Amino acid sequence: MASGSSGGSERATGLTFTEHIAEQQHRLSPAARGDLTNLLLHIMMAAKIIGRETRKAALVDILGLTGRTNVQGEEVQKLDDYADEIMIRNLRYTGHLCVMASEEHEDVIQIPERYAIGDYALTFDPLDGSSNIDANVSIGTIFSVQRRVSDGPSGTVADVLQRGKNQVCAGYVIYGPSTILVYTTGHGVHGFTLDPSVGEFLLSHPDIRTPEEGKIYSVNEGNASRWDEPTRRLIEAFKSEANYRKKPYTARYIGSLVADFHRNLLYGGIFLYPADSKSPSGKLRLLPEANPLAFVVENAGGLATTGTQRILDVEPRRLHHRVPLIIGSRKDVEFAESFYQT
Ligand code: AFP
């Protein structure tokens, strides 16, 4: 790790994810029943299974397309289906959720009647960056937890259609050279690396603080001809000396949001998926992608904006609401925002 503040001697403390969240609960909410803690343990379990399958995918020939499209009109990969199913199966019976929403489903996913209903709603992208699967590029699962707001015997779409600032927990798991889980409950951002020899996530990145400014800009420049004028001028500024650092930035773009985000979180930098003439509202989804990463980055000292509005303040209008996303180091995001103010 280069410049993020969580590194060096603080790394590899040996504390397991399970111990860490139990300790956090004891320290921050001693009277809590442990529902959120338990929910996180189930998410961790699902992530372990998805991680295992992504690793052996090529071997068991489950790579490749299913040949159909999801509600976003995108091709669905077999592993997307698998990850989606694992998340649902491992979380619906926990008794902690009232409803779920997945990027892969048009409507919310109800908890079957035979299981207890809980106080939380979960939104997730089961396998983000999945178009990269066949090239063995890092992919990930993103999750966001909201407190239930509906009454009645089961949860409703209102439980997930909440502003990002109401999130009680958010995070992601990257399936890369190692499997890394990063989460926040609003009290620091903590990263854990899966030790396959014991099957445990060990605290490797305690209290991550993202650098105030970075050297990296991450954007799909193949879309440049569709960008509006502020975006064009902004990216030119990052590529030249016409930015507040007076030095050109380095370009890094994987096309797998979790991987691009995680790298910039640790090294410092800015990721942008702006609106363009093909996607006038942006491409990325507010609920399963922008909100959880915005919650993580803000808790690590960074910022996330649409260009004109803080991501966590955006009122979701529908489950698959899309937003322009500009996210990363505080000074870089503030610099970007200045281009959209006029
Ligand atoms: P896939 O899950 O279809 O690969 O989409 C990935 C994604 O939602 C996000 O992870 C990337 O940042 C973004 O799309 C990449 O989009 P472009 O390919 O248009 O750059």
Side-chain angles (χ1 to χ4, degrees):
M1 189 177 10
S3 41
S5 70
S6 162
S9 58
E10 282 182 315
R11 296 190 69 174
T13 63
L15 200 64
T16 67
F17 181 63
T18 313
E19 287 170 316
H20 171 89
I21 54 174
E23 277 190 15
Q24 290 270 106
Q25 186 200 316
H26 180 67
R27 200 163 54 83
L28 300 167
S29 351
R33 286 181 313 191
D35 289 3
L36 186 60
T37 299
N38 215 276
L39 178 60
L40 277 168
L41 293 178
H42 283 277
I43 294 174
M44 174 190 76
M45 191 60 211
K48 278 188 195 172
I49 300 172
I50 297 169
R52 185 194 62 197
E53 291 309 309
T54 56
R55 274 193 303 281
K56 70 178 191 197
L59 300 173
V60 295
D61 191 32
I62 58 172
L63 285 180
L65 302 176
T66 56
R68 61 182 178 81
T69 55
N70 67 8
V71 292
Q72 317 288 342
E74 302 156 337
E75 288 177 320
V76 176
Q77 309 254 340
K78 286 179 188 171
L79 264 179
D80 290 49
D81 282 352
Y82 182 81
D84 189 53
E85 199 186 309
I86 293 298
M87 288 295 283
I88 296 169
R89 277 219 317 254
N90 276 272
L91 291 154
R92 65 185 175 186
Y93 72 88
T94 60
H96 305 309
L97 294 176
C98 61
V99 76
M100 288 187 263
S102 161
E103 195 210 273
E104 299 294 332
H105 295 246
E106 191 144 13
D107 297 315
V108 288
I109 303 155
Q110 292 295 346
I111 305 300
E113 272 177 23
R114 61 186 184 278
Y115 301 125
I117 296 290
D119 294 335
Y120 295 102
L122 176 75
T123 303
F124 58 88
D125 181 349
L127 213 54
D128 180 72
S130 52
S131 58
N132 292 304
I133 290 170
D134 286 342
N136 203 24
V137 169
S138 298
I139 49 182
T141 300
I142 314 178
F143 60 91
S144 156
V145 182
Q146 295 276 12
R147 209 176 292 282
R148 182 179 188 187
V149 290
S150 68
D151 295 323
S154 50
T156 71
V157 71
D159 297 312
V160 289
L161 283 188
Q162 298 190 55
R163 286 192 171 94
K165 64 183 176 190
N166 296 349
Q167 287 170 108
V168 290
C169 176
Y172 56 86
V173 184
I174 299 193
Y175 313 107
S178 16
T179 302
I180 293 188
L181 185 157
V182 173
Y183 90 104
T184 182
T185 54
H187 303 280
V189 176
H190 308 288
F192 301 79
T193 304
L194 182 65
D195 179 345
S197 64
V198 287
E200 278 280 11
F201 279 98
L202 303 180
L203 182 61
S204 51
H205 301 73
D207 202 12
I208 298 171
R209 302 297 298 168
T210 195
E212 280 220 312
E213 59 179 69
K215 302 185 180 78
I216 295 171
Y217 78 101
S218 312
V219 69
N220 184 345
E221 292 206 67
N223 294 330
S225 64
R226 303 189 186 117
W227 288 342
D228 58 19
E229 200 44 38
T231 305
R232 252 180 242 157
R233 285 195 297 110
L234 171 62
I235 302 304
E236 277 314 309
F238 281 133
K239 291 159 66 169
S240 66
E241 291 171 358
N243 57 64
Y244 75 95
R245 291 177 59 246
K246 313 268 179 261
K247 283 180 234 162
Y249 282 57
T250 297
R252 291 282 184 275
Y253 189 75
I254 297 169
S256 181
L257 178 62
V258 183
D260 277 313
F261 174 83
H262 184 68
R263 180 203 53 236
N264 291 2
L265 181 75
L266 297 182
Y267 296 172
I270 185 165
F271 173 95
L272 310 96
Y273 211 112
D276 59 37
S277 57
K278 183 178 167 207
S279 311
S281 308
K283 174 185 172 187
L284 301 176
R285 298 82 173 166
L286 175 63
L287 295 175
E289 294 176 312
N291 268 346
L293 299 187
F295 196 55
V296 169
V297 88
E298 284 204 6
N299 277 286
L303 291 176
T305 176
T306 62
T308 54
Q309 189 181 14
R310 178 185 177 220
I311 289 288
L312 296 180
D313 286 336
V314 176
E315 174 148 22
R317 288 189 299 277
R318 59 191 160 278
L319 229 41
H320 297 282
H321 185 145
R322 293 175 193 251
V323 279
L325 177 63
I326 301 175
I327 190 165
S329 292
R330 185 178 62 77
K331 287 189 183 172
D332 296 335
V333 174
E334 282 171 352
F335 176 71
E337 267 180 325
S338 67
F339 282 71
Y340 296 95
Q341 299 310 316
T342 44

